[in-house]
Amino acid sequence: MDLYQPIDFYCERLDPSFWAEPLNTISNLSFIIAGVYWLLHAGKGKDSGWIKYFALNTIIVGIGSILFHTFANFWSLWADVLPIMLFMLLFILYSFTNILRLKLATTILFSIIFTATGFAMELVQIPLLNGSHTYLHAFVALILIYY
């Protein structure tokens, strides 16, 4: 597979040019701004280390998404997806161990199931969701964590 071949399977991409997804590109600056804000205001509390991890990852999510929504090719797709996957796994780790107070083994098992489900969602096609179906498992996980 050519790493630089343009891809177009979701979002508002109009053509293969750099600014073909201006709304997604510009709106992803908010991830970088939020991450920098959290880094500057993380404080020294019990969860400050976690806040810094989430802040740095949020900045990387913003950068990766900007890269994908401007270059829209195979390598930039992974620059977009991998930081989001890492953010979701960090959130599960934090939520299960610090909020739900579950054992690490349970957290690891759920993380493996969560990741496998995410990859399985790649095999499913739901045209109505326009490629965003691969995040459906994250939505379900949030509901399970909430309840």
Side-chain angles (χ1 to χ4, degrees):
M1 172 169 277
D2 180 8
L3 292 176
Y4 299 98
Q5 181 176 344
I7 55 177
D8 176 18
F9 57 84
Y10 69 94
C11 301
E12 83 269 12
R13 183 150 288 278
L14 304 172
D15 59 54
S17 68
F18 188 82
W19 286 107
E21 292 184 34
L23 297 177
N24 274 311
T25 302
I26 293 168
S27 66
N28 281 305
L29 289 172
S30 63
F31 285 96
I32 297 169
I33 293 166
V36 169
Y37 178 84
W38 288 346
L39 270 180
L40 296 174
H41 296 89
K44 304 260 188 246
K46 174 180 130 310
D47 290 334
S48 64
W50 280 101
I51 292 169
K52 289 176 185 173
Y53 286 132
F54 281 120
L56 286 170
N57 191 230
T58 300
I59 293 167
I60 295 168
V61 165
I63 293 168
S65 287
I66 288 171
L67 289 171
F68 177 64
H69 294 294
T70 51
F71 292 100
N73 53 31
F74 190 73
W75 72 262
S76 63
L77 170 67
W78 286 103
D80 181 37
V81 172
L82 289 176
I84 294 169
M85 290 171 60
L86 178 61
F87 189 92
M88 290 188 290
L89 287 171
L90 281 173
F91 181 78
I92 288 170
L93 181 62
Y94 176 79
S95 298
F96 277 40
T97 57
N98 293 308
I99 296 172
L100 300 176
R101 303 277 184 216
L102 297 176
K103 294 182 179 182
L104 186 58
T106 303
T107 302
I108 291 171
L109 177 63
F110 185 84
S111 297
I112 291 168
I113 293 168
F114 177 80
T115 303
T117 304
F119 282 113
M121 291 303 294
E122 289 287 334
L123 304 174
V124 176
Q125 294 299 318
I126 305 172
L128 180 65
L129 296 178
N130 197 26
S132 297
H133 63 281
T134 56
Y135 297 113
L136 195 56
H137 70 300
F139 180 67
V140 172
L142 282 173
I143 291 170
L144 292 174
I145 290 169
Y146 178 76
Y147 288 106

